């Protein structure tokens, strides 16, 4: 396979570019060659996206919506093919790619496609005059993606951007180049003008070229806090708009009156879905002292039954980590937890065989890990690990747990389990996080805004809130009388 630039409706040849191989995380066999975009590629992408923008912005909302809805249908009709590409690139179980990744991308295109005709301004009745506002598109926007949900991230950015009349240049992570190209093809086949959604490949240097390009109006990043800070600083030099969807170290609080079975189910979802490589994961699990032992016993029992293995097998529940380097980083976190005095209750080792007895030593597999005897100051309880590692922390009172949960520079997500309706809301209202759940975790319907507070981000994706981030408001005053002038 060759992964190159998709510019102006055409997949370019990648020759004479810097290139590298990308690998299947399940066995570290090469999947293809990725060609890094160069200056000319970026210039061609910006020229083509500008051209497409001038065509697209004159379409009615209903016309734009139709293209998005058709592209969503195309994605859904190619579900199995795209899910299989995503599983090969990311290492996540095929059951997840089939159930979540592609349909979540299509959901965003249907939601914003349906909304495109309804994007409107306001009318103001004034004295002998009136005024109105127009939400206008920004121009060429750039999306920069992380590797954990490649097509979902691309669609969560492209759908609102395009619905609002913008064009987009998208750069997927250098580790997962495949499915953004499938999205680009779907837009073209759905009738989008060439250049409306261009894809450029490459690492942070290509991201930097997009951030610094004077004719790109906005940057939307999904990535780590450190990349977010660099992009924020780079965009500030041009006073560019940004949306930043960054990392987290989110708290999941289980009170003594919670339904323990549901709380354990949510803790598993909040930590081990997609090998734990999910930004909003609730990796600090605060459990009330009264139920601590029974909670831990049930959690350990169910964690040990998770079927780790070949991501392409439909029975697999946990696949392989994105790269060897990332796996080694997670192993270092696990060693840090042990040496700081936490107890590794289960997992955290590289399995030799998967749940069907197949040799998996060539892949980046780790068994799901639970730490207990943790202290808030330990590295494993403070840093984002981005892998299948959770820390259980014991608490006694509501006030105490709120203070400890908020004692972090991150603010992406939070969850509370309790059957006391008043306490559920009271606690959630005091948690410093942008995306919260009561009695569930990591559910992200397209209707609800998603994003972080504190160092976990700026702006919101999904929902009506995303429209504000892809439009600029123009106010128009219309005089109905004479001009009153003192001169
Ligand atoms: P990363 O920050 O290393 O890279 C993200 C993207 O930014 C990549 O495409 C990369 O090439 C690009 N990039 C890197 N340096 C850049 C620079 N200086 N200028 C412009 N672009 C640059 O993150 P990652 O390892 O790909 O993804 C994991 C991180 O993403 C985690 O921290 C995770 O929490 C976060 N994430 C957040 C969300 C969210 O919605 N909040 C969702 C998924 C992942």
């Amino acid at each position: 396979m060759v992964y190159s630039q998709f510019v102006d409706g055409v997949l370019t040849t990648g020759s004479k570019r810097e290139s590298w191989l990308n690998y299947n995380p399940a066995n570290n066999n090469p999947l293809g060659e990725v060609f890094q975009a160069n200056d000319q590629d970026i210039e061609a992408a910006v020229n083509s996206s500008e051209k497409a923008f001038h065509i697209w912005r004159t379409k009615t909302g209903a016309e734009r919506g139709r293209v998005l809805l058709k592209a969503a249908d195309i994605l859904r009709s190619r579900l199995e093919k795209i899910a299989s590409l995503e599983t090969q690139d990311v290492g996540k179980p095929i059951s997840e790619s089939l159930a979540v990744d592609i349909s979540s991308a299509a959901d965003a295109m249907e939601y914003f496609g349906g909304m495109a005709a309804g994007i409107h301004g306001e009318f103001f009745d004034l004295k002998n005059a009136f005024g109105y506002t127009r939400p206008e598109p920004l121009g060429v926007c750039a999306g920069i993606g992380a590797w954990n949900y490649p097509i979902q991230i691309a669609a969560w950015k492209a759908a609102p951007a395009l619905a609002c009349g913008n064009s987009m240049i998208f750069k997927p992570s250098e580790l997962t180049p495949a499915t953004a190209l499938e999205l680009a093809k779907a837009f073209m086949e759905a009738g989008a003008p060439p250049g409306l959604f261009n894809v450029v490949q490459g690492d942070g240097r290509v991201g930097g070229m997009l951030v610094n390009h004077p004719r790109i109006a906005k940057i939307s990043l999904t990535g780590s806090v450190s990349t977010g800070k660099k992009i924020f600083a780079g965009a500030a030099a041009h006073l560019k708009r940004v949306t930043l969807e960054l990392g987290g170290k989110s708290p999941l609080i289980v009170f003594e009156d919670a339904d323990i079975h549901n709380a354990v189910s949510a803790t598993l979802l909040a930590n081990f879905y997609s090998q734990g490589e999910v930004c909003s994961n609730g990796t600090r699990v605060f459990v009330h002292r009264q139920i601590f032992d029974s909670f831990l016993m049930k959690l350990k029992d169910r964690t040990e039954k998770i079927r780790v293995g070949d991501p392409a097998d439909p029975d697999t529940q946990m696949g392989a980590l994105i790269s060897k380097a990332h796996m080694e980083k997670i192993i270092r976190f696990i060693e840090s937890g042990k040496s700081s005095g936490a107890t590794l209750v289960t997992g955290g080792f590289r399995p030799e065989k998967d749940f069907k007895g197949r040799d998996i030593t060539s892949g980046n597999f780790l068994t799901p890990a639970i730490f207990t005897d943790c202290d808030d100051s330990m590295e494993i309880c403070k840093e984002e690990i981005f892998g299948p590692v959770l820390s259980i922390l014991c608490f006694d009172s509501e006030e105490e747990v709120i203070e400890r949960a908020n004692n972090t520079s991150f603010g992406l997500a939070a969850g509370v389990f309790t059957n006391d309706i008043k306490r559920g809301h009271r606690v959630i209202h005091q948690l410093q996080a942008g995306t919260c759940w009561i009695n569930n975790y990591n559910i992200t319907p397209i209707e609800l805004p998603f994003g972080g507070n504190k160092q976990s981000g700026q702006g919101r994706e999904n929902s009506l809130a995303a429209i504000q981030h892809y439009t600029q408001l123009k106010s128009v005053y219309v005089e109905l009388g004479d001009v009153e002038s003192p001169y």
Side-chain angles (χ1 to χ4, degrees), residues 8-47:
D8 218 38
V10 180
L11 191 63
T12 62
T13 63
S15 56
K16 296 195 190 140
R17 306 282 188 286
E18 182 183 336
S19 73
W20 61 90
L21 295 177
N22 79 323
Y23 296 92
N24 183 339
N27 47 31
N28 284 302
N29 290 335
L31 289 167
E33 191 172 8
V34 190
F35 287 89
Q36 168 109 345
N38 61 20
D39 291 344
Q40 290 85 43
D41 294 325
I42 297 297
E43 217 41 41
V46 173
N47 289 338

Side-chain angles (χ1 to χ4, degrees), residues 119 135-138 164 166 241 466-473:
I119 298 171
E136 296 185 343
L138 304 171
C164 292
N166 304 284
R241 285 153 199 258
I467 299 295
Q468 288 168 26
H469 299 292
Y470 284 102
T471 51
Q472 50 196 344
L473 216 52

Side-chain angles (χ1 to χ4, degrees), residues 323-340:
S323 64
K324 271 189 187 159
H326 188 60
M327 178 180 68
E328 278 154 17
K329 187 175 133 193
I330 295 169
I331 292 171
R332 282 198 296 278
F333 272 116
I334 291 169
E335 290 310 315
S336 152
K338 289 197 263 186
S339 62
S340 61

